[in-house]
Amino acid sequence: MAQGNLQGNSFTPGCPWVEIEGTFNCRDFGGYQCGPNLSTRTRDRMLYRSGHLEGLTLSGLQKMRELSISTIIDLRNLGEAKALYSKDKPDNENLNGFKIIRFPLDQKGLSIQHCSAKYEKYLKIGSTAVAQEYFDMLLEGHQTIRDILLLLRDNPSDVFLIHCSLGKDRTGIIFAILFSLAGVAHEAIASEYSLSEAALESLLPDIAQVVKASAPPGLTSTEALRIARGVITTTKDAMMLTLEKLEETFGSTFRYVSECCGLCLEDINQIQQNLTLESK
């Protein structure tokens, strides 16, 4: 897939976009009001999200260094890059100097056909199907989420970049948990999640091409583009339903990471402290 080119800035409150040449859908965790009295905000310049890094340019790598990114958390399954992207080089060839940690969030096998079928389902059923998939991932991937949370607990001075293939679904789930733990309102979390759709718009032709190439004969270009549209869709409703389902089941995100991920009160308090700053 070709890489999109998003224009953005280094951190400015209310403007989360960051441009890293050769990746896309990249933004900062920081600047969102949180806490019971909205007296704190999420910490800036310590946690970023993006799509895959296979197309990073030298300029993009330099930008990552300027942002002081030290640790890359890759949520993809082993071999996913080879299945999805026509790159011959190893996906970490240019990432010497960065610590790369693979925490696959979805343990299911991956194929273009499986992905196409999943997004067809999303198109037919809508946000409830997306929310159920996300919720299932939260349950099945609880150990991965625990590992990520403990990494953030133990390394408050590190700067992290979390990514999957498009920086939308798995990355969106992780960021939703982190935002919720920090005390960000559901509406704001869902709005942040929904930003990915516009960010991925430029990839539509490439996604459609991959879908069509892997589909049974007879799939039209129009149908492939329709499925591709489903791939990039990130509605606020889908994330709101996910967070509501999480609260219906566990009572709160706090209780989810406690009961399902096995974190104690001291762990959670330290993570919350690492993720937030007093508002100025």
Side-chain angles (χ1 to χ4, degrees):
M1 286 183 189
Q3 276 65 56
N5 182 23
L6 295 177
Q7 297 301 313
N9 305 299
S10 295
F11 180 80
T12 303
C15 181
W17 295 109
V18 177
E19 183 179 10
I20 299 177
E21 189 174 83
T23 187
F24 49 86
N25 199 16
C26 186
R27 50 194 190 264
D28 194 318
F29 176 79
Y32 290 86
Q33 287 188 310
C34 51
N37 301 312
L38 300 181
S39 58
T40 59
R41 60 181 173 86
T42 53
R43 186 183 298 268
D44 54 274
R45 301 185 184 93
M46 62 84 65
L47 182 60
Y48 299 90
R49 61 182 293 172
S50 78
H52 72 79
L53 306 178
E54 269 69 28
L56 277 176
T57 65
L58 292 177
S59 176
L61 288 164
Q62 179 58 33
K63 179 65 175 182
M64 288 174 62
R65 295 185 183 101
E66 290 172 4
L67 294 170
S68 299
I69 292 169
S70 56
T71 304
I72 296 167
I73 298 175
D74 188 345
L75 301 174
R76 300 173 303 172
N77 295 307
L78 191 64
E80 184 173 332
K82 292 180 180 178
L84 292 178
Y85 311 111
S86 57
K87 295 285 185 183
D88 295 326
K89 64 183 180 181
D91 59 2
N92 61 350
E93 182 180 88
N94 293 324
L95 294 173
N96 292 333
F98 297 95
K99 184 177 181 181
I100 301 172
I101 303 176
R102 296 190 182 276
F103 283 145
L105 184 56
D106 186 354
Q107 300 292 340
K108 302 182 183 74
L110 183 137
S111 68
I112 302 297
Q113 292 82 359
H114 172 265
C115 287
S116 295
K118 178 176 72 173
Y119 289 111
E120 277 274 31
K121 178 182 176 183
Y122 291 175
L123 286 167
K124 289 177 182 177
I125 301 176
S127 296
T128 55
V130 180
Q132 186 61 55
E133 178 85 12
Y134 287 179
F135 182 71
D136 290 345
M137 214 178 294
L138 286 170
L139 296 181
E140 295 165 9
H142 63 90
Q143 182 61 50
T144 291
I145 293 170
R146 170 187 168 85
D147 290 340
I148 292 171
L149 290 171
L150 292 178
L151 190 66
L152 295 173
R153 180 200 68 182
D154 295 338
N155 299 276
S157 299
D158 287 3
V159 179
F160 297 88
L161 172 67
I162 299 178
H163 79 92
C164 52
S165 284
L166 295 178
K168 154 187 177 281
D169 296 317
R170 288 164 289 185
T171 304
I173 291 170
I174 296 298
F175 263 60
I177 293 297
L178 297 178
F179 278 128
S180 187
L181 275 182
V184 178
H186 285 189
E187 179 73 21
I189 297 171
S191 293
E192 195 278 343
Y193 161 80
S194 72
L195 294 174
S196 289
E197 185 167 342
L200 298 171
E201 183 78 26
S202 65
L203 298 183
L204 267 178
D206 299 290
I207 297 172
Q209 185 177 2
V210 171
V211 169
K212 194 171 189 304
S214 62
L219 185 77
T220 67
S221 296
T222 300
E223 279 296 295
L225 189 61
R226 185 182 68 83
I227 295 171
R229 173 62 64 183
V231 171
I232 73 165
T233 298
T234 52
T235 66
K236 289 175 64 175
D237 283 350
M239 184 53 70
M240 289 293 287
L241 288 169
T242 303
L243 293 168
E244 287 169 10
K245 193 168 185 63
L246 190 70
E247 289 205 343
E248 287 170 6
T249 305
F250 293 98
S252 65
T253 303
F254 185 101
R255 288 185 60 185
Y256 160 73
V257 299
S258 173
E259 296 174 13
C260 199
C261 302
L263 270 64
C264 67
L265 177 61
E266 184 180 355
D267 293 330
I268 299 170
N269 286 341
Q270 185 61 57
I271 292 163
Q272 289 172 325
Q273 181 178 324
N274 292 351
L275 292 175
T276 58
L277 290 169
E278 289 295 320
S279 293
K280 296 180 180 179

